[in-house]
Amino acid sequence: MARAETPGPDTEPGAARGERPGAVPDGPAGPSRHRRRPPRATAPLLIASGCAAVLAVAAVRLAGEVTRAPTPAERSAAVATEIGRRYRAWPAGRIFPAGLRYTLDEGSAETARRVGIGTDTRCGTAVDPGLTASLTARGCQAVLRATYLDQAQGLAVTIGVAAFPDTASAHGAVAWFPPRAPAPGLRALPFAGTVAARFGDAARQASAAAQRGPYVVAATVGYADGRPTLRAARRLPELAELAPRLVDAVLRPLTAPAAIRCGTREWSC
């Protein structure tokens, strides 16, 4: 009859139950002495998740920036930029249309007809030498000129558009144009083979100038047949009245704010 062996002093606990030495017995585990380390892939995953979150936030902000409406300051800047480049972007015939409507005091509406448009846009050749330095010092970029005849074709008017980098520069330059005297100011621009072929600098009788935005528009008026300057007492009233009327007729549309169309080829807001 077999007997159950009693573990002796040299027998390890559990050996009698057929357990291997050092084996962990079944049953509730005791407190562990070592913490389990997270898998090595956890840290990169956390970093990737953080980057994705940052990119998502940035994408949302960028989408909001792209789709938001322009601020009033951005609209004003866009308008100023568009107006400032019109002297280069607009066709010459748009700056100087074929006809300019004007009304003299106590008279009906009349039309001045364009004789021609000059091709020389240098600031130094468009004005008298006494005015060149003042325009150059304020950054004059170009002076566009065209000559018109009044409706009766007895008076010739040369109109000049002087372009400057900004409003402040143009404002500083307009003060140097004579308010009434023809010189030193805008030079006359005759056209051979026309009624105004003899309208030279010696025939200038009156002048006018005005500024708005980055532009100064000036005009010089005289008799189309080229007769020299007459004394003030003998000048026709139309000489003094015609110049400012035609200056305004060119300056007003040139500096009129346009409707803003942000996001198109013409506009950047």
Side-chain angles (χ1 to χ4, degrees):
M1 184 174 180
R3 293 184 303 170
E5 292 184 355
T6 301
D10 298 330
T11 305
E12 293 184 4
R17 298 191 299 269
E19 297 175 354
R20 290 178 290 107
V24 179
D26 295 336
S32 175
R33 296 182 179 180
H34 302 282
R35 295 183 178 177
R36 293 186 179 181
R37 296 181 179 179
R40 293 184 178 180
T42 302
L45 287 175
L46 291 175
I47 295 175
S49 299
C51 292
V54 172
L55 290 175
V57 172
V60 171
R61 290 181 177 178
L62 179 60
E65 186 69 18
V66 171
T67 57
R68 70 169 176 81
T71 65
E74 289 171 338
R75 285 180 175 272
S76 298
V79 170
T81 299
E82 193 273 338
I83 291 175
R85 67 184 185 89
R86 284 178 180 173
Y87 79 97
R88 292 183 288 106
W90 281 12
R94 184 175 180 182
I95 297 174
F96 300 116
L100 292 175
R101 301 284 289 174
Y102 66 92
T103 302
L104 301 179
D105 290 344
E106 300 180 359
S108 58
E110 298 181 347
T111 302
R113 299 298 178 183
R114 189 185 66 210
V115 176
I117 300 174
T119 57
D120 188 348
T121 62
R122 292 175 296 173
C123 299
T125 57
V127 298
D128 291 312
L131 190 58
T132 301
S134 299
L135 300 191
T136 303
R138 286 159 180 81
C140 179
Q141 298 172 325
V143 177
L144 287 63
R145 286 186 296 167
T147 296
Y148 287 79
L149 291 172
D150 72 337
Q151 184 159 299
Q153 297 192 4
L155 299 178
V157 186
T158 294
I159 304 173
V161 174
F164 292 88
D166 48 49
T167 299
S169 300
H171 181 73
V174 71
W176 293 89
F177 283 85
R180 288 176 296 277
L186 185 71
R187 299 186 64 187
L189 182 63
F191 285 90
T194 69
V195 179
R198 297 181 179 180
F199 179 53
D201 290 340
R204 293 178 294 180
Q205 305 280 340
S207 65
Q211 174 266 329
R212 190 176 302 152
Y215 298 107
V216 172
V217 176
T220 184
V221 186
Y223 291 101
D225 60 9
R227 71 185 70 173
T229 302
L230 304 176
R231 293 182 179 180
R234 299 175 58 191
R235 291 177 185 168
L236 293 175
E238 290 83 352
L239 283 169
E241 295 175 13
L242 184 58
R245 300 293 192 278
L246 296 190
V247 163
D248 183 68
V250 171
L251 183 59
R252 193 173 356 97
L254 182 62
T255 57
I260 299 176
R261 300 180 301 277
C262 296
T264 61
R265 289 177 54 188
E266 296 82 9
W267 293 92
S268 176
C269 300

